[in-house]
Amino acid sequence: MPRNKLKKFAEIETYPNVVYYPDSLAGNWSRTFFRNDNPVTLELGCGAGLLTLELARRHRNRNYIGIDNKRARIWQGATQALTDKLHNACFITTRIELLSAYFGVNEIDEIWIAFPDPYPKPSKSNKRLISPEMLSIYRTFISPGCIFHVKTDDDALFDFSLESIERENAVIHQLSGNIHEEAGIPEDVRIRTVYEERHLKEGKTIKYVRFTIN
Ligand SMILES: C[S@@+](CC[C@H](N)C(=O)[O-])C[C@H]1O[C@@H](n2cnc3c(N)ncnc32)[C@H](O)[C@@H]1O
């Protein structure tokens, strides 16, 4: 492994805003970790965490947790959060499949999934972060009316997402085929992530759906 990566891995082990195996926090994130009573938003597959950081800057009355299994990417977001003294943001390096152990019933009322890996092979569809299998994991800790936001450049993944949530009897609150051109798109939805910048440079359009599942 490159020395620079090893250094980052050693560094984030000491960060107060990166949490490992947080089973003991399940159900008590706000009170025990953030030391407030504010609602909690998750960003799944946060990568470098730009969305988590910007949402935390804009909404000081909420707590934000970015989750990704790539530690070098989490290092970027966590380092920036410390520099900016964003006390309402933290990160977990874990596989999203394990989240049922880390959050309590009804604990989460908002989830962002920005540019999830498309896993184009049908045999891998259960790994897509918006698959029915993954939604059944989220169901163990979301509150009734939990808002989901999904953004992607990928047409096939967008279609798959809509099919997947239709099976869950989702209520769609907003649907867009091009968030950077259409009117009426909330400012938070227009926050650009690392992958989003890349896709926009390639001339791709960004699709978005906001929904709730019952
Ligand atoms: C295409 S990147 C998008 C990153 C970021 N959301 C953005 O828009 O810049 C997808 C991210 O999801 C993470 N990811 C995919 N499946 C995951 C899983 N099962 N558990 C944890 N992280 C996952 C990857 O490590 C990667 O950083």
Side-chain angles (χ1 to χ4, degrees), residues 43 45-47 68-70 73 94-97 114-115 117 119 129 134 193-195:
E43 187 194 357
C46 67
D68 204 291
N69 58 351
K70 297 221 168 97
R73 290 183 182 177
T94 187
R95 291 198 59 72
I96 288 158
E97 287 80 349
F115 304 92
D117 293 314
Y119 288 108
L129 294 186
M134 295 302 243
T193 71
V194 170
Y195 274 75

PDB file of all heavy atoms in Angstrom, residues 43 45-47 68-70 73 94-97 114-115 117 119 129 134 193-195, ligand 1:
ATOM      1  N   GLU A  43     -25.591  10.034   4.860  1.00  0.00           N
ATOM      2  CA  GLU A  43     -25.218  10.007   3.444  1.00  0.00           C
ATOM      3  C   GLU A  43     -24.539   8.666   3.201  1.00  0.00           C
ATOM      4  O   GLU A  43     -23.473   8.374   3.774  1.00  0.00           O
ATOM      5  CB  GLU A  43     -24.264  11.145   3.060  1.00  0.00           C
ATOM      6  CG  GLU A  43     -24.071  11.149   1.533  1.00  0.00           C
ATOM      7  CD  GLU A  43     -22.901  11.986   1.031  1.00  0.00           C
ATOM      8  OE1 GLU A  43     -22.219  12.656   1.830  1.00  0.00           O
ATOM      9  OE2 GLU A  43     -22.649  11.919  -0.187  1.00  0.00           O
ATOM     10  N   GLY A  45     -22.532   5.900   1.036  1.00  0.00           N
ATOM     11  CA  GLY A  45     -21.568   5.932  -0.063  1.00  0.00           C
ATOM     12  C   GLY A  45     -21.095   7.358  -0.274  1.00  0.00           C
ATOM     13  O   GLY A  45     -21.083   7.869  -1.395  1.00  0.00           O
ATOM     14  N   CYS A  46     -20.670   8.003   0.819  1.00  0.00           N
ATOM     15  CA  CYS A  46     -20.391   9.451   0.781  1.00  0.00           C
ATOM     16  C   CYS A  46     -19.095   9.792   0.067  1.00  0.00           C
ATOM     17  O   CYS A  46     -18.857  10.960  -0.246  1.00  0.00           O
ATOM     18  CB  CYS A  46     -20.373  10.020   2.189  1.00  0.00           C
ATOM     19  SG  CYS A  46     -18.996   9.411   3.196  1.00  0.00           S
ATOM     20  N   GLY A  47     -18.211   8.806  -0.170  1.00  0.00           N
ATOM     21  CA  GLY A  47     -16.929   9.105  -0.806  1.00  0.00           C
ATOM     22  C   GLY A  47     -16.176  10.138   0.013  1.00  0.00           C
ATOM     23  O   GLY A  47     -16.014   9.988   1.226  1.00  0.00           O
ATOM     24  N   ASP A  68     -18.970   5.315   4.295  1.00  0.00           N
ATOM     25  CA  ASP A  68     -18.318   4.737   3.122  1.00  0.00           C
ATOM     26  C   ASP A  68     -17.301   3.706   3.624  1.00  0.00           C
ATOM     27  O   ASP A  68     -16.776   3.842   4.724  1.00  0.00           O
ATOM     28  CB  ASP A  68     -17.589   5.813   2.307  1.00  0.00           C
ATOM     29  CG  ASP A  68     -17.416   5.415   0.853  1.00  0.00           C
ATOM     30  OD1 ASP A  68     -16.637   4.484   0.574  1.00  0.00           O
ATOM     31  OD2 ASP A  68     -18.084   6.026  -0.019  1.00  0.00           O
ATOM     32  N   ASN A  69     -17.051   2.691   2.790  1.00  0.00           N
ATOM     33  CA  ASN A  69     -16.068   1.696   3.236  1.00  0.00           C
ATOM     34  C   ASN A  69     -14.650   2.032   2.771  1.00  0.00           C
ATOM     35  O   ASN A  69     -13.713   1.327   3.115  1.00  0.00           O
ATOM     36  CB  ASN A  69     -16.470   0.278   2.788  1.00  0.00           C
ATOM     37  CG  ASN A  69     -16.628   0.167   1.293  1.00  0.00           C
ATOM     38  OD1 ASN A  69     -16.592   1.178   0.603  1.00  0.00           O
ATOM     39  ND2 ASN A  69     -16.823  -1.031   0.782  1.00  0.00           N
ATOM     40  N   LYS A  70     -14.499   3.130   2.011  1.00  0.00           N
ATOM     41  CA  LYS A  70     -13.149   3.500   1.550  1.00  0.00           C
ATOM     42  C   LYS A  70     -12.554   4.544   2.503  1.00  0.00           C
ATOM     43  O   LYS A  70     -12.951   5.722   2.486  1.00  0.00           O
ATOM     44  CB  LYS A  70     -13.211   4.065   0.130  1.00  0.00           C
ATOM     45  CG  LYS A  70     -13.700   3.028  -0.869  1.00  0.00           C
ATOM     46  CD  LYS A  70     -12.916   3.076  -2.162  1.00  0.00           C
ATOM     47  CE  LYS A  70     -13.198   1.872  -3.035  1.00  0.00           C
ATOM     48  NZ  LYS A  70     -14.201   2.127  -4.067  1.00  0.00           N
ATOM     49  N   ARG A  73     -11.000   7.930   1.240  1.00  0.00           N
ATOM     50  CA  ARG A  73     -11.980   8.961   0.856  1.00  0.00           C
ATOM     51  C   ARG A  73     -12.558   9.624   2.107  1.00  0.00           C
ATOM     52  O   ARG A  73     -12.705  10.846   2.171  1.00  0.00           O
ATOM     53  CB  ARG A  73     -13.105   8.335   0.032  1.00  0.00           C
ATOM     54  CG  ARG A  73     -12.614   7.915  -1.327  1.00  0.00           C
ATOM     55  CD  ARG A  73     -13.718   7.364  -2.194  1.00  0.00           C
ATOM     56  NE  ARG A  73     -13.134   6.945  -3.456  1.00  0.00           N
ATOM     57  CZ  ARG A  73     -13.802   6.367  -4.437  1.00  0.00           C
ATOM     58  NH1 ARG A  73     -15.088   6.121  -4.319  1.00  0.00           N
ATOM     59  NH2 ARG A  73     -13.204   6.031  -5.546  1.00  0.00           N
ATOM     60  N   THR A  94     -17.442   1.836   7.096  1.00  0.00           N
ATOM     61  CA  THR A  94     -18.034   0.505   7.230  1.00  0.00           C
ATOM     62  C   THR A  94     -18.725   0.118   5.934  1.00  0.00           C
ATOM     63  O   THR A  94     -18.965   0.958   5.070  1.00  0.00           O
ATOM     64  CB  THR A  94     -19.088   0.493   8.367  1.00  0.00           C
ATOM     65  OG1 THR A  94     -19.532  -0.854   8.574  1.00  0.00           O
ATOM     66  CG2 THR A  94     -20.312   1.328   8.023  1.00  0.00           C
ATOM     67  N   ARG A  95     -19.100  -1.137   5.855  1.00  0.00           N
ATOM     68  CA  ARG A  95     -19.961  -1.576   4.768  1.00  0.00           C
ATOM     69  C   ARG A  95     -21.404  -1.233   5.130  1.00  0.00           C
ATOM     70  O   ARG A  95     -21.822  -1.471   6.277  1.00  0.00           O
ATOM     71  CB  ARG A  95     -19.820  -3.084   4.534  1.00  0.00           C
ATOM     72  CG  ARG A  95     -18.456  -3.467   3.963  1.00  0.00           C
ATOM     73  CD  ARG A  95     -18.462  -4.839   3.333  1.00  0.00           C
ATOM     74  NE  ARG A  95     -19.436  -4.948   2.247  1.00  0.00           N
ATOM     75  CZ  ARG A  95     -19.315  -4.372   1.052  1.00  0.00           C
ATOM     76  NH1 ARG A  95     -18.269  -3.636   0.764  1.00  0.00           N
ATOM     77  NH2 ARG A  95     -20.249  -4.523   0.132  1.00  0.00           N
ATOM     78  N   ILE A  96     -22.134  -0.711   4.185  1.00  0.00           N
ATOM     79  CA  ILE A  96     -23.503  -0.268   4.453  1.00  0.00           C
ATOM     80  C   ILE A  96     -24.398  -1.450   4.840  1.00  0.00           C
ATOM     81  O   ILE A  96     -25.364  -1.288   5.584  1.00  0.00           O
ATOM     82  CB  ILE A  96     -24.018   0.517   3.223  1.00  0.00           C
ATOM     83  CG1 ILE A  96     -23.293   1.864   3.201  1.00  0.00           C
ATOM     84  CG2 ILE A  96     -25.518   0.722   3.237  1.00  0.00           C
ATOM     85  CD1 ILE A  96     -23.234   2.545   1.878  1.00  0.00           C
ATOM     86  N   GLU A  97     -24.034  -2.630   4.408  1.00  0.00           N
ATOM     87  CA  GLU A  97     -24.794  -3.835   4.743  1.00  0.00           C
ATOM     88  C   GLU A  97     -24.864  -4.049   6.260  1.00  0.00           C
ATOM     89  O   GLU A  97     -25.716  -4.783   6.757  1.00  0.00           O
ATOM     90  CB  GLU A  97     -24.152  -5.074   4.103  1.00  0.00           C
ATOM     91  CG  GLU A  97     -24.320  -5.197   2.603  1.00  0.00           C
ATOM     92  CD  GLU A  97     -23.354  -4.329   1.782  1.00  0.00           C
ATOM     93  OE1 GLU A  97     -22.665  -3.453   2.341  1.00  0.00           O
ATOM     94  OE2 GLU A  97     -23.306  -4.526   0.551  1.00  0.00           O
ATOM     95  N   ALA A 114     -25.970   9.570  -3.196  1.00  0.00           N
ATOM     96  CA  ALA A 114     -25.533  10.348  -4.364  1.00  0.00           C
ATOM     97  C   ALA A 114     -24.543   9.530  -5.186  1.00  0.00           C
ATOM     98  O   ALA A 114     -23.525   9.091  -4.672  1.00  0.00           O
ATOM     99  CB  ALA A 114     -24.883  11.659  -3.908  1.00  0.00           C
ATOM    100  N   PHE A 115     -24.884   9.295  -6.408  1.00  0.00           N
ATOM    101  CA  PHE A 115     -24.021   8.598  -7.361  1.00  0.00           C
ATOM    102  C   PHE A 115     -23.564   7.234  -6.838  1.00  0.00           C
ATOM    103  O   PHE A 115     -22.367   6.950  -6.760  1.00  0.00           O
ATOM    104  CB  PHE A 115     -22.844   9.495  -7.782  1.00  0.00           C
ATOM    105  CG  PHE A 115     -23.369  10.779  -8.322  1.00  0.00           C
ATOM    106  CD1 PHE A 115     -23.542  11.877  -7.492  1.00  0.00           C
ATOM    107  CD2 PHE A 115     -23.791  10.857  -9.634  1.00  0.00           C
ATOM    108  CE1 PHE A 115     -24.128  13.041  -7.967  1.00  0.00           C
ATOM    109  CE2 PHE A 115     -24.364  12.020 -10.117  1.00  0.00           C
ATOM    110  CZ  PHE A 115     -24.526  13.114  -9.280  1.00  0.00           C
ATOM    111  N   ASP A 117     -22.644   3.369  -6.882  1.00  0.00           N
ATOM    112  CA  ASP A 117     -22.045   2.538  -7.937  1.00  0.00           C
ATOM    113  C   ASP A 117     -23.166   1.797  -8.669  1.00  0.00           C
ATOM    114  O   ASP A 117     -24.023   1.190  -8.022  1.00  0.00           O
ATOM    115  CB  ASP A 117     -21.076   1.521  -7.316  1.00  0.00           C
ATOM    116  CG  ASP A 117     -19.870   2.204  -6.701  1.00  0.00           C
ATOM    117  OD1 ASP A 117     -19.293   3.087  -7.355  1.00  0.00           O
ATOM    118  OD2 ASP A 117     -19.516   1.863  -5.552  1.00  0.00           O
ATOM    119  N   TYR A 119     -23.201  -0.987 -10.492  1.00  0.00           N
ATOM    120  CA  TYR A 119     -23.164  -2.459 -10.543  1.00  0.00           C
ATOM    121  C   TYR A 119     -24.023  -2.967 -11.701  1.00  0.00           C
ATOM    122  O   TYR A 119     -25.088  -3.548 -11.488  1.00  0.00           O
ATOM    123  CB  TYR A 119     -23.655  -3.064  -9.221  1.00  0.00           C
ATOM    124  CG  TYR A 119     -22.685  -2.898  -8.079  1.00  0.00           C
ATOM    125  CD1 TYR A 119     -22.955  -2.011  -7.040  1.00  0.00           C
ATOM    126  CD2 TYR A 119     -21.499  -3.616  -8.037  1.00  0.00           C
ATOM    127  CE1 TYR A 119     -22.055  -1.844  -6.001  1.00  0.00           C
ATOM    128  CE2 TYR A 119     -20.601  -3.453  -6.990  1.00  0.00           C
ATOM    129  CZ  TYR A 119     -20.885  -2.566  -5.989  1.00  0.00           C
ATOM    130  OH  TYR A 119     -20.006  -2.400  -4.950  1.00  0.00           O
ATOM    131  N   LEU A 129     -27.078   0.486  -4.006  1.00  0.00           N
ATOM    132  CA  LEU A 129     -27.510   1.030  -2.714  1.00  0.00           C
ATOM    133  C   LEU A 129     -29.003   1.322  -2.644  1.00  0.00           C
ATOM    134  O   LEU A 129     -29.539   1.597  -1.578  1.00  0.00           O
ATOM    135  CB  LEU A 129     -26.703   2.290  -2.361  1.00  0.00           C
ATOM    136  CG  LEU A 129     -25.211   2.059  -2.106  1.00  0.00           C
ATOM    137  CD1 LEU A 129     -24.543   3.349  -1.629  1.00  0.00           C
ATOM    138  CD2 LEU A 129     -24.969   0.941  -1.095  1.00  0.00           C
ATOM    139  N   MET A 134     -31.145  -3.657  -0.061  1.00  0.00           N
ATOM    140  CA  MET A 134     -30.590  -2.577   0.758  1.00  0.00           C
ATOM    141  C   MET A 134     -31.719  -1.800   1.449  1.00  0.00           C
ATOM    142  O   MET A 134     -31.594  -1.424   2.615  1.00  0.00           O
ATOM    143  CB  MET A 134     -29.739  -1.636  -0.103  1.00  0.00           C
ATOM    144  CG  MET A 134     -28.520  -2.289  -0.678  1.00  0.00           C
ATOM    145  SD  MET A 134     -27.460  -2.973   0.617  1.00  0.00           S
ATOM    146  CE  MET A 134     -26.014  -2.051   0.420  1.00  0.00           C
ATOM    147  N   THR A 193     -21.179  16.878  -5.802  1.00  0.00           N
ATOM    148  CA  THR A 193     -20.241  15.936  -5.186  1.00  0.00           C
ATOM    149  C   THR A 193     -19.051  15.753  -6.137  1.00  0.00           C
ATOM    150  O   THR A 193     -19.059  16.251  -7.279  1.00  0.00           O
ATOM    151  CB  THR A 193     -20.909  14.572  -4.952  1.00  0.00           C
ATOM    152  OG1 THR A 193     -21.111  13.948  -6.224  1.00  0.00           O
ATOM    153  CG2 THR A 193     -22.240  14.704  -4.215  1.00  0.00           C
ATOM    154  N   VAL A 194     -18.050  15.010  -5.690  1.00  0.00           N
ATOM    155  CA  VAL A 194     -16.866  14.748  -6.525  1.00  0.00           C
ATOM    156  C   VAL A 194     -17.274  14.038  -7.824  1.00  0.00           C
ATOM    157  O   VAL A 194     -16.904  14.443  -8.933  1.00  0.00           O
ATOM    158  CB  VAL A 194     -15.849  13.879  -5.751  1.00  0.00           C
ATOM    159  CG1 VAL A 194     -14.733  13.400  -6.670  1.00  0.00           C
ATOM    160  CG2 VAL A 194     -15.270  14.652  -4.574  1.00  0.00           C
ATOM    161  N   TYR A 195     -18.097  13.008  -7.707  1.00  0.00           N
ATOM    162  CA  TYR A 195     -18.508  12.267  -8.907  1.00  0.00           C
ATOM    163  C   TYR A 195     -19.417  13.115  -9.790  1.00  0.00           C
ATOM    164  O   TYR A 195     -19.374  13.020 -11.011  1.00  0.00           O
ATOM    165  CB  TYR A 195     -19.189  10.944  -8.521  1.00  0.00           C
ATOM    166  CG  TYR A 195     -18.188   9.843  -8.312  1.00  0.00           C
ATOM    167  CD1 TYR A 195     -17.400   9.816  -7.164  1.00  0.00           C
ATOM    168  CD2 TYR A 195     -17.979   8.857  -9.272  1.00  0.00           C
ATOM    169  CE1 TYR A 195     -16.443   8.833  -6.966  1.00  0.00           C
ATOM    170  CE2 TYR A 195     -17.023   7.870  -9.084  1.00  0.00           C
ATOM    171  CZ  TYR A 195     -16.266   7.854  -7.938  1.00  0.00           C
ATOM    172  OH  TYR A 195     -15.314   6.877  -7.762  1.00  0.00           O
TER     173      TYR A 195
HETATM  174  C1  LIG B   1     -19.426   6.341  -7.197  1.00  0.00           C
HETATM  175  S1  LIG B   1     -18.873   6.662  -5.594  1.00  0.00           S
HETATM  176  C2  LIG B   1     -19.777   8.138  -5.155  1.00  0.00           C
HETATM  177  C3  LIG B   1     -19.150   8.881  -4.027  1.00  0.00           C
HETATM  178  C4  LIG B   1     -19.871  10.194  -3.634  1.00  0.00           C
HETATM  179  N1  LIG B   1     -21.233   9.951  -3.227  1.00  0.00           N
HETATM  180  C5  LIG B   1     -19.855  11.179  -4.760  1.00  0.00           C
HETATM  181  O1  LIG B   1     -20.899  11.426  -5.364  1.00  0.00           O
HETATM  182  O2  LIG B   1     -18.768  11.729  -5.035  1.00  0.00           O
HETATM  183  C6  LIG B   1     -19.723   5.429  -4.652  1.00  0.00           C
HETATM  184  C7  LIG B   1     -19.209   5.285  -3.238  1.00  0.00           C
HETATM  185  O3  LIG B   1     -20.003   4.333  -2.549  1.00  0.00           O
HETATM  186  C8  LIG B   1     -19.168   3.529  -1.743  1.00  0.00           C
HETATM  187  N2  LIG B   1     -19.859   2.247  -1.527  1.00  0.00           N
HETATM  188  C9  LIG B   1     -20.428   1.476  -2.483  1.00  0.00           C
HETATM  189  N3  LIG B   1     -20.980   0.374  -1.929  1.00  0.00           N
HETATM  190  C10 LIG B   1     -20.743   0.466  -0.587  1.00  0.00           C
HETATM  191  C11 LIG B   1     -21.068  -0.356   0.531  1.00  0.00           C
HETATM  192  N4  LIG B   1     -21.754  -1.482   0.373  1.00  0.00           N
HETATM  193  N5  LIG B   1     -20.674   0.035   1.758  1.00  0.00           N
HETATM  194  C12 LIG B   1     -19.967   1.198   1.917  1.00  0.00           C
HETATM  195  N6  LIG B   1     -19.644   2.031   0.904  1.00  0.00           N
HETATM  196  C13 LIG B   1     -20.035   1.675  -0.333  1.00  0.00           C
HETATM  197  C14 LIG B   1     -17.871   3.404  -2.532  1.00  0.00           C
HETATM  198  O4  LIG B   1     -16.770   3.103  -1.698  1.00  0.00           O
HETATM  199  C15 LIG B   1     -17.767   4.780  -3.177  1.00  0.00           C
HETATM  200  O5  LIG B   1     -16.977   5.676  -2.403  1.00  0.00           O
END
